[in-house]
Amino acid sequence: MNERSSKSLSGSLAFGSEHNHSLCIEEALDHAKRVCEEGGERFTNLRRQVFELVWAEHKPVKAYDLLSALASKRSGVAPATVYRTLDFLQAQGLVHRLESLNAYLGCSHPETDHQGHFLICENCEEVRELELGAFMQSIAAVEDAQDFRVRRMTIELFGLCKRCQAANSGPDPTLP
Amino acid sequence: MNERSSKSLSGSLAFGSEHNHSLCIEEALDHAKRVCEEGGERFTNLRRQVFELVWAEHKPVKAYDLLSALASKRSGVAPATVYRTLDFLQAQGLVHRLESLNAYLGCSHPETDHQGHFLICENCEEVRELELGAFMQSIAAVEDAQDFRVRRMTIELFGLCKRCQAANSGPDPTLP
DNA sequence: TCACGTGATGTTATAATATAACAATATGTG
DNA sequence: CACATATTGTTATATTATAACATCACGTGA
Ligand SMILES: [Zn+2]
Ligand SMILES: [Zn+2]
Ligand SMILES: [Zn+2]
Ligand SMILES: [Zn+2]
């Protein structure tokens, strides 16, 4: 817990690495606030609270879990509250939706305009957001070969992260 | 409607191409029957009916739409009927689920063991299943770089197919 | 043939996810 | 302050999916 934080958010951690998550959240909040200001949008209390809850862990969060957590912080919380706020955060590029999981995740590099690509560990549930690049070339090739123009995409790769590969060969041997 | 049908199912059509869909369905049914027999599974009436409904068009189908269509063909149809049957067909590799759409699609090359990769036209809804290859290289590179072992994946690329790119610049100008 | 075990289907109930529609409130601007 | 607009609250409902248990169908061996 004494890491160097450069221009990339601390949230862009590699699987299994330690990092200062308080700092990570703080940076993410600062960033979110700035993104909203620059876009002429308001980073209201509600939006900040939801954003914090999404960022509480580097794991996908379900809308109704957010709902419960949020309800313990403020009154008058209904599904629409959560979904609307998630929609807003997604529109600002601050949060991604994981289609295969019906879940949401804070974006780890919101400074760039991008679609999310994800590695999702089936054992520990940790999610790593890939930075663009690796796939862009093959996608360009597909567009070319198929006469298809890609406008958005869902790329979610499920498997085992380094730690969980090492830790086992079977399921969950009490992870850290 | 006079096409050549080689070893690849007629369902492996390119976007916008014409093809003999009766033949396409017939082939798909034959194939499904064979897959089940070889796996020691029964291709029952229910399973055949659901399979036919999924193959009715080269478009994703929603579970509850299948439910309605199926209910007009037999009695005692409930959600569980449909979901169970879809689960079975997916397990046999005959049908894929599109996570981003909560919808299902007949597999266009069930002879090979594979995950589905899809191009989905946002305008005409036609879906083209990519054959593996284009992505495998970049996925291997990601696995290597990230110390992550991929076991399954969701890859769904949304955009405009050739026909819809040509036809417009805006939305739906009454397609064929 | 028929008892039996298994897999398939039917049936009922409910869980989990998401949106619609409209009312009330907050915020900034002139 | 009056007004327009964005945000949030509130109620109801739509959509998607699963659980749990009952019944039926099919093959196998007594
Ligand atoms: Zn963190
Ligand atoms: Zn991102
Ligand atoms: Zn066809
Ligand atoms: Zn397929």
Side-chain angles (χ1 to χ4, degrees):
Chain A
M1 51 174 74
N2 224 343
E3 291 203 346
R4 187 86 357 249
S5 122
S6 61
K7 65 283 172 190
S8 179
L9 293 185
S10 299
S12 299
L13 78 169
F15 273 118
S17 71
E18 309 259 326
H19 84 147
N20 185 331
H21 193 54
S22 304
L23 173 57
C24 168
I25 292 181
E26 202 178 316
E27 287 177 356
L29 276 170
D30 284 353
H31 188 87
K33 199 173 161 191
R34 185 154 37 78
V35 164
C36 289
E37 280 167 1
E38 288 171 359
E41 303 286 350
R42 292 162 54 202
F43 195 55
T44 62
N45 261 354
L46 173 62
R47 289 166 177 174
R48 185 181 44 68
Q49 286 178 319
V50 171
F51 185 80
E52 283 175 346
L53 289 171
V54 170
W55 267 94
E57 289 188 88
H58 291 280
K59 293 187 177 173
V61 193
K62 308 227 108 192
Y64 275 75
D65 292 340
L66 284 175
L67 178 58
S68 312
L70 189 61
S72 75
K73 302 198 166 191
R74 55 188 297 140
S75 62
V77 177
T81 315
V82 170
Y83 284 105
R84 270 195 303 227
T85 308
L86 287 171
D87 286 348
F88 171 84
L89 295 172
Q90 286 176 262
Q92 305 311 305
L94 298 169
V95 159
H96 294 293
R97 173 176 161 85
L98 298 171
E99 298 289 347
S100 304
L101 299 176
N102 295 337
Y104 302 83
L105 183 74
C107 175
S108 61
H109 51 286
E111 59 285 355
T112 70
D113 186 13
H114 69 290
Q115 305 273 328
H117 299 171
F118 305 95
L119 295 181
I120 304 166
C121 181
E122 291 179 312
N123 188 246
C124 71
E125 297 193 278
E126 191 165 341
V127 178
R128 169 105 170 83
E129 183 177 351
L130 299 172
E131 312 246 350
L132 288 181
F135 287 101
M136 286 327 246
Q137 220 172 342
S138 21
I139 287 168
V142 167
E143 287 188 286
D144 202 48
Q146 307 284 333
D147 276 320
F148 190 94
R149 172 160 296 265
V150 174
R151 299 209 290 199
R152 66 192 174 84
M153 59 194 101
T154 296
I155 296 187
E156 297 169 6
L157 308 182
F158 293 80
L160 289 179
C161 71
K162 182 178 189 178
R163 180 161 55 177
C164 291
Q165 285 170 59
N168 62 8
S169 326
D172 196 10
T174 53
L175 300 159
Chain B
M1 49 174 72
N2 225 344
E3 291 204 345
R4 188 82 2 245
S5 123
S6 60
K7 65 282 171 193
S8 179
L9 293 185
S10 300
S12 299
L13 78 170
F15 274 119
S17 70
E18 309 259 327
H19 84 146
N20 185 332
H21 192 53
S22 304
L23 174 57
C24 168
I25 292 181
E26 202 178 317
E27 287 177 356
L29 275 169
D30 284 353
H31 188 87
K33 199 173 161 193
R34 185 154 36 79
V35 164
C36 289
E37 278 166 3
E38 288 170 0
E41 304 285 352
R42 292 164 51 202
F43 195 56
T44 61
N45 263 352
L46 174 61
R47 289 166 178 174
R48 184 181 44 68
Q49 286 177 319
V50 170
F51 185 82
E52 283 175 345
L53 289 170
V54 170
W55 267 95
E57 290 187 85
H58 291 279
K59 292 185 177 174
V61 194
K62 309 227 108 194
Y64 276 75
D65 291 340
L66 284 176
L67 177 57
S68 312
L70 188 60
S72 74
K73 302 197 165 195
R74 53 188 296 140
S75 63
V77 178
T81 314
V82 170
Y83 283 105
R84 272 195 302 228
T85 308
L86 287 171
D87 285 348
F88 171 84
L89 295 172
Q90 286 177 261
Q92 305 310 307
L94 297 169
V95 159
H96 295 294
R97 174 177 160 82
L98 298 171
E99 298 290 347
S100 304
L101 298 175
N102 296 336
Y104 303 83
L105 184 73
C107 175
S108 60
H109 51 287
E111 59 282 356
T112 70
D113 186 13
H114 69 289
Q115 305 273 331
H117 298 169
F118 304 95
L119 295 182
I120 304 165
C121 181
E122 293 180 310
N123 188 245
C124 72
E125 297 194 280
E126 191 164 341
V127 178
R128 168 105 171 82
E129 183 176 351
L130 299 172
E131 313 247 350
L132 287 181
F135 286 101
M136 287 327 244
Q137 220 174 342
S138 22
I139 287 169
V142 167
E143 287 187 286
D144 203 48
Q146 307 284 333
D147 276 319
F148 190 93
R149 172 160 296 264
V150 173
R151 299 209 290 199
R152 64 190 173 86
M153 60 193 100
T154 296
I155 297 186
E156 297 168 4
L157 309 183
F158 293 80
L160 289 180
C161 72
K162 182 178 188 179
R163 180 162 53 179
C164 291
Q165 285 170 59
N168 62 10
S169 327
D172 195 11
T174 52
L175 301 159

